[in-house]
Amino acid sequence: ELKVEQNPLFLSMQEGKNYTIYCNYSTTSDRLYWYRQDPGKSLESLFVLLSNGAVKQEGRLMASLDTKARLSTLHITAAVHDLSATYFCAGWLDTGTASKLTFGTGTRLQVTL
Amino acid sequence: NAGVTQTPKFQVLKTGQSMTLQCAQDMNHEYMSWYRQDPGMGLRLIHYSVGAGITDQGEVPNGYNVSRSTTEDFPLRLLSAAPSQTSVYFCASSYSYRRGSSYNSPLHFGNGTRLTVT
């Protein structure tokens, strides 16, 4: 069974700084996702990572995947207040008899002035 | 395009009552799923379905029933509500789920149902 761990759980950072959120998963995953959730809202898809070495960027966020290390990272460049939210990584596993998306516990990001 | 629609948005139940959380999608997605979200625990999978007539259990299925009679609808039933079921419930759907699918869409989430059981 796939287990997904994120760290840190909480991250307070100043505007303009860079930081990375880490996502480790326990077994081979078919795909790795990153989602964003604002307080009281639904989840918004940010990235889908399919293969080893995959890198995707959108604005100040960049996600990468290392399948050998079973590690994905979400790098934040020059943070701005609008990036304050909770970020989840999730791993998809389709075994042929089961198809499930397993989430990490989330990283709450707070960007301060 | 409505996407994934959940009803109701809020619900208060008393212990032992039953209710159904509704979920509908208009994207012709094969895969549908229910998650519950509790503080500090991320999202946990309750049940999922890979097509009409096919359902399976997730990580926390006890106390919940599902059925999938059509591609569009995937209701979640609480037969006898308990305070431990107080949570925010999300329905999500995806176009593809099979390994190796060339169309790797993310799960699209509904806006959630906030359920309180007293």
Side-chain angles (χ1 to χ4, degrees):
Chain A
E1 187 159 324
L2 178 64
K3 295 191 187 304
V4 179
E5 290 186 359
Q6 278 180 249
N7 67 84
L9 298 183
F10 178 73
L11 177 56
S12 180
M13 54 190 300
Q14 287 183 316
E15 275 200 338
K17 300 291 187 183
N18 304 333
Y19 208 82
T20 301
I21 298 170
Y22 297 89
C23 175
N24 292 89
Y25 54 98
S26 61
T27 186
T28 302
S29 174
D30 296 314
R31 314 166 205 169
L32 200 293
Y33 296 86
W34 284 94
Y35 283 88
R36 168 183 171 143
Q37 185 180 38
D38 292 303
K41 302 294 186 182
S42 184
L43 283 83
E44 172 192 358
S45 175
L46 295 174
F47 302 108
V48 180
L49 303 168
L50 303 178
S51 58
N52 190 44
V55 177
K56 291 197 173 179
Q57 183 160 7
E58 181 74 35
R60 301 174 187 273
L61 300 178
M62 183 175 71
S64 65
L65 179 63
D66 182 343
T67 57
K68 293 179 182 176
R70 295 179 185 162
L71 171 69
S72 180
T73 60
L74 181 66
H75 186 72
I76 303 150
T77 301
V80 293
H81 181 72
D82 285 352
L83 290 179
S84 297
T86 299
Y87 294 85
F88 292 94
C89 66
W92 182 276
L93 185 60
D94 176 24
T95 64
T97 57
S99 299
K100 302 179 185 179
L101 185 65
T102 300
F103 281 82
T105 51
T107 296
R108 187 159 75 92
L109 173 66
Q110 185 176 62
V111 181
T112 58
L113 293 171
Chain B
N1 191 348
V4 180
T5 302
Q6 287 185 240
T7 56
K9 292 184 179 179
F10 301 94
Q11 183 71 49
V12 179
L13 291 178
K14 293 185 177 179
T15 298
Q17 287 185 317
S18 63
M19 79 159 296
T20 299
L21 279 63
Q22 301 292 344
C23 176
Q25 52 90 9
D26 62 357
M27 299 173 282
N28 199 32
H29 284 174
E30 286 185 291
Y31 187 92
M32 297 186 73
S33 55
W34 278 101
Y35 287 86
R36 60 177 288 173
Q37 184 174 28
D38 302 292
M41 302 190 74
L43 283 85
R44 293 181 292 168
L45 181 64
I46 304 171
H47 286 286
Y48 68 96
S49 168
V50 298
I54 306 169
T55 64
D56 205 348
Q57 295 181 348
E59 183 185 356
V60 288
N62 292 339
Y64 308 95
N65 281 350
V66 291
S67 60
R68 182 108 179 259
S69 56
T70 67
T71 300
E72 294 79 18
D73 299 300
F74 190 44
L76 178 72
R77 296 183 188 85
L78 284 71
L79 297 179
S80 179
S84 61
Q85 294 178 305
T86 294
S87 188
V88 179
Y89 291 85
F90 286 100
C91 178
S93 71
S94 175
Y95 179 78
S96 69
Y97 64 92
R98 296 184 179 88
R99 173 178 285 173
S101 171
S102 60
Y103 186 76
N104 291 291
S105 69
L107 248 62
H108 297 265
F109 281 80
N111 288 328
T113 295
R114 187 173 294 274
L115 175 68
T116 302
V117 183
T118 61

